[in-house]
Amino acid sequence: MRRVFTAAIAALTVTTAGTLVTGAPGQADARPGKSRSVAVSAAPKPGSPGLGDPYFPDYGNGGYDVDHYDVRLRYEPATDRLSGTTTILATATQDLSRFNLDFLLDVESVRVNGWTARFAREGVHELVVTAPRGITTGQAMTVVVTYAGVPSETLVDGYSGWTRTVDGALAVNEPESAWWWFPSNDHPLDKATWDISVSVPDGVEVISNGVQPRPPLAEAGNRMRWGWRSTKPGATYLAFLAIGQYDIVTDTAPNGQPVINAYSTTLGDRKPAARASIERTAEVVDWESGIFGPYPFEAQGGVAAPIDSLSFALETQTRPVYGPGFWRRGSNLYVVVHENAHQWFGDSVSVADWSNIWLNEGFASYAEWLWSEAQGEGTTQELFDFTYANYPADDPFWQVLPGNPGAGAVFDDAVYDRGAMTLHQLRLAVGDDAFFRILPAWTAAHRYGNGTIAQFQALAEQISGLDLDPVFTTWLFTPGRPAPAAATRTTTAPAQPKSWTQIRAAHQLLAR
Ligand SMILES: [Zn+2]
């Protein structure tokens, strides 16, 4: 939901730092590989250090596709020391002489298909792995990385995406989060499933995505190992950890799925407001399923983060994490509606690259307007009118293009508010019948995949039979305050919808 970094990171990561080579170079080179093919192919090449994202070119890596992460960790809340092993199951998509992972902590060893591999650090977050044997297109790769570090003290641009809390830690951030706790192909284009287990001192809780395949297991040294499983493909930034003192509430949703909510015990008098919001998750998901299509994941829930921790919320897969600020003035359903709408728009259907962020934030924000309408707290038209009037024509807000905001403005107000206004204009253009067919058609067509704004426009045009270029160009890609459609123009100052205060309160924490 909210990127804490500045765009400086994109520039920073382009620089190449000194190279540190450890491991056991050459150890296995003498052993002949199996002759696998008589076909003559080009020499293996390095996998690219990025996936070409226009905003974050070196995020993710080329040359392989991850199927699954097995993240097995040990954490000490007292010192913030994190150690462990991540096993990556991947498939090579080219003949590889070497490949990259995105990761920041100190690496002790890397093995590829059982063989010790050389590794080196390049730039800010690139771990370059050279396997002793060549890797060929289509070959299964099992990459085992052993590592340790203190994530809160591992800084990039003076910043850590790992939040140390009063009683533990949170790994919750967008788009950079995994760098601080597991090596990965860190871009939404490479989705995978994952198993996460963490050993902590007895009495500490560990919350993560998905379901618990087993209860926590006792380990030597008065410790417990918690385990979580995500069975649907997810983008790496949507994996999370919440470690600390939590009260866990479990139930069954109307669709039969497990609901697992967790509340930091540090919330004090904010805890009832957090519960009054997050305990309605299953109701919200049920309502959203009726509009967006079947809920795409295996479990539901939410996590109320500790006091003095996150200043935002994030749509972590199956279980959004909410900062304590949302409950300062009481309950707030709108942030729950927003984060759970992201389960369809952002999590199941992810951006193909980060310039398409409107597909996440515009839709999650419009979900709030739809909820307001359903609750009788202000119609979508009233919210459009009031939001439109809230930003004067000379406000810099209108200079940010929701359809291509730039790396430094991915979470700008415009992406949210003008983003929601765009969907309202689309709805007016195509009519309710087509609009409410477009939304579930989109989530079905790109389920567990990726999408672009151009693809969404094409689908909307296909379903409505209309040329929608004027709507998309005007509202997403043209600076300045557009004239609203004649039918929606208001001549008097619009009244403030009842839901406005809560929506504002949520957006002040979600957008920048
Ligand atoms: Zn959002």
Side-chain angles (χ1 to χ4, degrees), residues 1 338 342 361 416:
M1 169 74 33
H338 181 105
H342 275 309
E361 301 305 344
Y416 293 72

Side-chain angles (χ1 to χ4, degrees), residues 175-444:
E176 310 89 357
S177 174
W179 297 354
W180 284 271
W181 61 289
F182 68 99
S184 74
N185 192 11
D186 196 24
H187 191 279
L189 280 177
D190 191 356
K191 296 191 177 193
T193 56
W194 54 80
D195 277 292
I196 290 166
S197 87
V198 187
S199 168
V200 290
D202 191 18
V204 175
E205 282 78 37
V206 179
I207 322 297
S208 187
N209 315 83
V211 297
Q212 281 182 290
R214 53 161 178 76
L217 294 173
E219 286 191 340
N222 202 26
R223 300 180 69 88
M224 297 293 282
R225 178 166 290 279
W226 291 67
W228 294 89
R229 172 166 293 169
S230 289
T231 62
K232 306 294 186 195
T236 40
Y237 80 94
L238 296 168
F240 83 99
L241 281 180
I243 303 173
Q245 303 294 313
Y246 288 88
D247 295 327
I248 298 173
V249 180
T250 62
D251 206 341
T252 302
N255 69 357
Q257 291 181 340
V259 180
I260 304 173
N261 297 325
Y263 301 90
S264 169
T265 61
T266 68
L267 283 169
D269 61 7
R270 295 189 196 186
K271 190 178 168 191
R275 290 201 61 186
S277 311
I278 296 173
E279 289 299 309
R280 294 182 66 180
T281 295
E283 173 194 349
V284 166
V285 166
D286 192 36
W287 173 79
E288 290 179 332
S289 301
I291 302 170
F292 305 147
Y295 179 71
F297 299 119
E298 69 274 25
Q300 304 174 22
V303 177
I307 208 79
D308 299 328
S309 61
L310 292 188
S311 59
F312 57 96
L314 187 67
E315 60 269 26
T316 37
Q317 194 155 302
T318 69
R319 195 158 292 120
V321 178
Y322 304 90
F326 293 100
W327 329 122
R328 194 156 49 91
R329 284 168 286 206
S331 63
N332 192 330
L333 257 290
Y334 287 91
V335 69
V336 176
V337 168
H338 181 105
E339 301 308 335
N340 282 289
H342 275 309
Q343 302 302 313
W344 288 263
F345 303 100
D347 293 14
S348 174
V349 184
S350 299
V351 293
D353 69 59
W354 288 102
S355 72
N356 293 284
I357 188 67
W358 172 73
L359 293 172
N360 295 12
E361 301 305 344
F363 290 64
S365 299
Y366 197 65
E368 297 173 61
W369 293 12
L370 291 169
W371 176 263
S372 172
E373 192 162 82
Q375 299 291 309
E377 296 181 346
T379 66
T380 51
Q381 184 62 52
E382 288 165 347
L383 279 158
F384 175 91
D385 291 341
F386 198 77
T387 306
Y388 184 87
N390 188 54
Y391 295 104
D394 60 353
D395 193 307
F397 169 90
W398 295 105
Q399 298 307 313
V400 176
L401 305 180
N404 189 9
V410 168
F411 300 108
D412 191 274
D413 276 333
V415 179
Y416 293 72
D417 290 350
R418 188 172 172 176
M421 283 188 262
T422 303
L423 279 165
H424 193 65
Q425 291 298 309
L426 173 66
R427 180 178 166 187
L428 294 175
V430 302
D432 277 9
D433 178 64
F435 183 75
F436 289 106
R437 280 188 288 130
I438 290 167
L439 296 181
W442 175 249
T443 65

Side-chain angles (χ1 to χ4, degrees), residues 102-159:
D102 301 300
F103 195 49
L104 289 174
L105 300 186
D106 291 337
V107 173
E108 290 163 11
S109 67
V110 180
R111 283 181 180 261
V112 179
N113 292 349
W115 293 55
T116 299
R118 287 186 295 149
F119 58 91
R121 172 105 26 220
E122 279 187 7
V124 171
H125 61 88
E126 298 290 331
L127 181 71
V128 182
V129 176
T130 306
R133 298 180 298 173
I135 300 166
T136 56
T137 305
Q139 186 178 348
M141 300 163 60
T142 303
V143 183
V144 182
V145 184
T146 302
Y147 52 93
V150 179
S152 63
E153 295 175 3
T154 303
L155 304 181
V156 176
D157 200 17
Y159 172 79

